[in-house]
Amino acid sequence: MSGLRRRGRGRGRGRGRDQGRDSGQVTIEFLGMTPTIIVTLVVLWQLVLVGYTYTLAGNAADEAVRAATAAERGARQGACQEAGRDKLPGAWEGGAGVDCGTAGGYVTADVRIEVPILFPGTISFPFTVHGHAGAVEEEDD
């Protein structure tokens, strides 16, 4: 009987030692995965910045057209460009371009914004996002 107890206890002790070695293995595996996790997060953040830049370009184009249709004919270009840049955050405003046009009773605005790399306001991709909007010209009665 006493021999059986010793064997049972011996088996339990062996398992405890194996678990201690496994926890070290988990730590090593996690450290090996850390660069992959960080790269994945960086790529996802960059995709968020690209998407946000598309949103900003579309909104800036809408604002520019709205201001151009409400302005007098001679002041349309200036009002359009000012309104297109007005709603952009400072980091995106520097590389932005706003072009406005009128043809056949239709006012258009095209906005170009450079996509920042990781931190807005530092470096930009050589990739430009375009926003376009148009509206029918308002007539004065």
Side-chain angles (χ1 to χ4, degrees), residues 56 59-61 63-64 67 78-90 93 96 98 111:
L56 289 174
N59 185 50
E63 292 290 330
C80 181
Q81 289 181 348
E82 183 180 335
R85 291 178 189 270
D86 185 44
K87 301 290 182 183
L88 293 176
E93 188 178 13
V98 180
V111 177

Side-chain angles (χ1 to χ4, degrees), residues 1-54:
M1 204 65 168
S2 64
L4 290 175
R5 288 184 186 162
R6 287 184 192 155
R7 288 183 190 156
R9 288 181 187 163
R11 289 181 190 157
R13 287 183 200 151
R15 288 183 191 150
R17 280 187 255 148
D18 288 344
Q19 285 178 345
R21 283 188 244 148
D22 285 346
S23 68
Q25 181 65 31
V26 169
T27 302
I28 296 298
E29 288 175 3
F30 178 74
L31 288 174
M33 288 299 296
T34 301
T36 304
I37 293 168
I38 290 172
V39 167
T40 302
L41 291 174
V42 166
V43 168
L44 288 175
W45 174 247
Q46 188 59 49
L47 290 175
V48 166
L49 287 176
V50 170
Y52 185 57
T53 304
Y54 271 104

